[in-house]
Amino acid sequence: MSPVISRLETSPAELLRPLRSEDQDIIPPDALTFLAALGHRFSERMHWLASARAAHAQHLADGTDTLTFPAATADIRDGDWHVAPAPADFGPGKSTLAEPSDRGAMIDALAKGAGLAVADFEDSTSPTWSNVVDSQRLLRLAVRRSLHADPTSSGRQSSPQSTLVVRPRSWQRRERHVLVDDRPMPAPLVDAGLFMFHNAHALRHHRSGPYFSLPRVEGGSEAALWEDVLTFAEEWLDLPRGTARVTMMVESVGAVFELDEVLYALRDRVCGMSIGRWNYLVSFIRTRSHDPRAVLPDRSQLTMTQPALKAYAQRVVQVCHRRGAWTDGFDVRDSGDDDGAPITAEQLLVTPTGSRTEAGLRFHVRVAMRYLEAWLRGRGRVSLYGVREDASAAELSSAQVWQWVRHGATLDDGRRVTRDLVNAIVTEEMRVIAGEVGKAAFVKGRFIEARTLFLSVATAEELPELVTVAGYPKLTEQ
């Protein structure tokens, strides 16, 4: 069905929250029709891929599948092909992640004047409905060089801008406030769809384009889904094919085994790749959730000097170099010879080594509960203990504590990590947090809900997909 026919036959998506008066121009009726068209076309395929991903995870757990390079796509890995050249303004350089609903953060990221300013809906955003809509408003201003610290200012921004990149939410997430066919719409279609609807033509006027950083892509099939989504959006919006360009963080074990397949599926629009260590380690835990030999050490020891993480970075660089894509966000010279022998499955799957300590366990608990409390209040990036943390820190902390409980990991003092031990430490750390933030802030905050959410993941029988997916229904109350 062509986009023209779809326009005639598509009913608008349904909003479950009334729009504020200032939001009418962000989600007008024709934008809702566009979102509905995306939902009609791609939701079922997304659900099918999610089911396939879950089935593969179960097969890995019961031993009927193994992690390896797929034999069915060997011709792609062996083929002589390259990705399309990157646009002049979309190349490697320092990437700055920003919370897109935070005006100050977006201004700071853009004002650097070099590299990529990544408006991150996935890990740096608490996806309350107001944050989702406000982010689209700020992005619209940023594209038009009209984003100012003073929202009442009408002057145009004159300072150089970094290249704006949008990191939409991943396929694991739904947007409960937008219904298509009486079901919540896949969240990435909302984020990417609204950004393209409002800004693609304006970006082309500025000799740029709608650029995306694709999160948590699990392999070639999910990359092909993104390719078809962006092609459909271009046709609907009367844009030349290839207007939308992408990069991606390699954040899953599945993707690192299918890097050639991912690049091939997106070969006409992908420009480069970067690494996302915390999310990759969450995937490592989830992919090998039933393997007692895969239990990780303290977070502080999970550096890029670990052999498995070195191999991960080297494989990304090797494949990108071979296919003509750039790499960003890390220096492979720190992790070995990027053009050496091809990385093997065994190198990628070796378990990082180190100690597990009570201090490390307490740190996981404290970081997860403090971040989740802020996230439940609508904050996506939070300064904790001298580090600017996003959701990936809470995801890793929750998954790692779950892994230690699941396998009865032994601490360096000889104690086994059990549900009872974690519950006792959580109770003690709640008192520590109350002292850190002050009694009034503790009582006013959402720490009890954060504790419940953390424990629902850390002490579960099976590891939930993501702690922020599990906690998402609580955001709809705001």
Side-chain angles (χ1 to χ4, degrees), residues 24-35:
Q24 299 293 332
D25 61 335
I26 300 300
I27 312 184
D30 49 348
L32 287 175
T33 301
F34 175 50
L35 292 182

Side-chain angles (χ1 to χ4, degrees), residues 12 63 115 173 193 199-201 205 210 239 283 287 323 327 417 426 440 448:
R173 303 184 191 274
N199 303 300
H201 288 283
H205 176 75
L239 295 163
S283 175
T287 302
R323 303 306 182 184
T327 53
V417 180
V426 165
I448 302 302

